[in-house]
Amino acid sequence: MKTTLFFCFVSFLGMSQLSEIRNQTKYNFWLNLPETEILNNQPPVLIFLHGRSLSGTDMNKVKRYGVISEIEKGRKIPAIVIAPQVVSGAWDPEKIIEILDFVQKKYNTKTDRVYVCGMSLGGYGTLSFTGKYPERIAASVALCGGGNISDACNLAKVPLWIQHGTGDRAVPVSESRNIVQAIKNCNSEKNLKYVEVKGASHGAMESVFRSNELYDWLFSHSLSAK
């Protein structure tokens, strides 16, 4: 009953308002609902996973860069956006799927149009989550991260856009190269788009979130189209 009342209150505040959701799932998260017309017509879901510097319990950190920052600057994203915060350590795919299930029980979303993107620690989290639940994810973008080789053949089932700067001193480009090669060994690049940005530093990859290309590419995919 409390959960129902909580979401009624969020809905009352406005369909395009960013809301902080605490103590409902194992990760606290930001929830951004699209405009009413989109929300009432089975919107897709976009999950944003932040990097290590945004970890902790101060949810405002998650606004510093990435998808939530873009929303606050005025970008209209035609999807329900979920942006959890990890307190410390690596992202846990089971805790992320808990949030997705929680939101999809409340809102009538497109179950074949769930997308994930993340940078650095969030890049690792994106590939870890996608590798564990490939049947739930329509497409993913991982920036300057890496992945577990054991997930490669599951990752090969999902359209992926992996990007890394060759000048990255925080996470070496070899991390992306290794998982990319493992994915290629599974399906010969069928669903894979890999870009190395010559000379780009770790932080420089944040600019990808400010490009229309990222969102256009993600939203062009659906599970039903595979």
Side-chain angles (χ1 to χ4, degrees), residues 95-142:
K95 293 180 181 179
I96 300 170
I97 203 72
E98 178 193 24
I99 296 175
L100 177 60
D101 290 340
F102 181 74
V103 171
Q104 288 187 320
K105 284 179 182 177
K106 171 60 185 176
Y107 298 103
N108 185 20
T109 74
K110 291 278 191 184
T111 56
D112 65 340
R113 298 189 66 205
V114 174
Y115 309 99
V116 191
C117 63
M119 175 177 170
S120 191
L121 180 70
Y124 284 95
T126 293
L127 295 185
S128 178
F129 179 61
T130 303
K132 187 173 180 63
Y133 300 103
E135 74 285 353
R136 300 284 297 273
I137 310 302
S140 299
V141 173

Side-chain angles (χ1 to χ4, degrees), residues 33-51:
L33 302 178
E35 296 176 356
T36 304
E37 183 178 355
I38 296 172
L39 185 64
N40 290 342
N41 286 278
Q42 290 189 299
V45 176
L46 174 60
I47 301 170
F48 166 66
L49 303 180
H50 64 72

Side-chain angles (χ1 to χ4, degrees), residues 9-209:
F9 177 64
V10 170
S11 298
F12 176 76
L13 287 175
M15 292 298 99
S16 61
Q17 182 166 330
L18 186 64
S19 303
E20 185 178 343
I21 313 300
R22 287 185 174 272
N23 305 317
Q24 301 294 318
T25 56
K26 293 182 180 68
Y27 286 146
N28 294 328
F29 64 98
W30 289 106
L31 176 71
N32 192 74
L33 302 178
E35 296 176 356
T36 304
E37 183 178 355
I38 296 172
L39 185 64
N40 290 342
N41 286 278
Q42 290 189 299
V45 176
L46 174 60
I47 301 170
F48 166 66
L49 303 180
H50 64 72
R52 189 177 303 278
S53 65
L54 307 190
S55 301
T57 57
D58 179 0
M59 289 283 287
N60 286 317
K61 284 185 175 181
V62 183
K63 296 179 176 182
R64 288 183 182 171
Y65 67 76
V67 178
I68 299 302
S69 174
E70 283 297 291
I71 289 171
E72 291 228 302
K73 291 174 184 175
R75 179 179 291 276
K76 301 296 184 183
I77 297 178
I80 292 176
V81 176
I82 299 169
Q85 183 181 42
V86 64
V87 175
S88 62
W91 285 101
D92 184 337
E94 293 184 1
K95 293 180 181 179
I96 300 170
I97 203 72
E98 178 193 24
I99 296 175
L100 177 60
D101 290 340
F102 181 74
V103 171
Q104 288 187 320
K105 284 179 182 177
K106 171 60 185 176
Y107 298 103
N108 185 20
T109 74
K110 291 278 191 184
T111 56
D112 65 340
R113 298 189 66 205
V114 174
Y115 309 99
V116 191
C117 63
M119 175 177 170
S120 191
L121 180 70
Y124 284 95
T126 293
L127 295 185
S128 178
F129 179 61
T130 303
K132 187 173 180 63
Y133 300 103
E135 74 285 353
R136 300 284 297 273
I137 310 302
S140 299
V141 173
L143 309 177
C144 55
N148 295 320
I149 300 303
S150 60
D151 288 333
C153 289
N154 271 348
L155 289 169
K157 301 173 184 177
V158 180
L160 297 175
W161 187 1
I162 297 175
Q163 303 181 55
H164 214 124
T166 61
D168 194 328
R169 295 184 179 181
V171 179
V173 69
S174 59
E175 288 290 286
S176 283
R177 288 174 180 172
N178 290 340
I179 190 63
V180 162
Q181 186 57 55
I183 294 168
K184 287 180 179 180
N185 292 341
C186 289
N187 78 340
S188 301
E189 304 182 63
K190 178 184 176 183
N191 293 316
L192 179 63
K193 181 178 181 180
Y194 178 52
V195 175
E196 289 187 4
V197 183
K198 188 175 180 179
S201 66
H202 190 69
M205 298 308 296
E206 185 274 335
S207 64
V208 175
F209 293 110

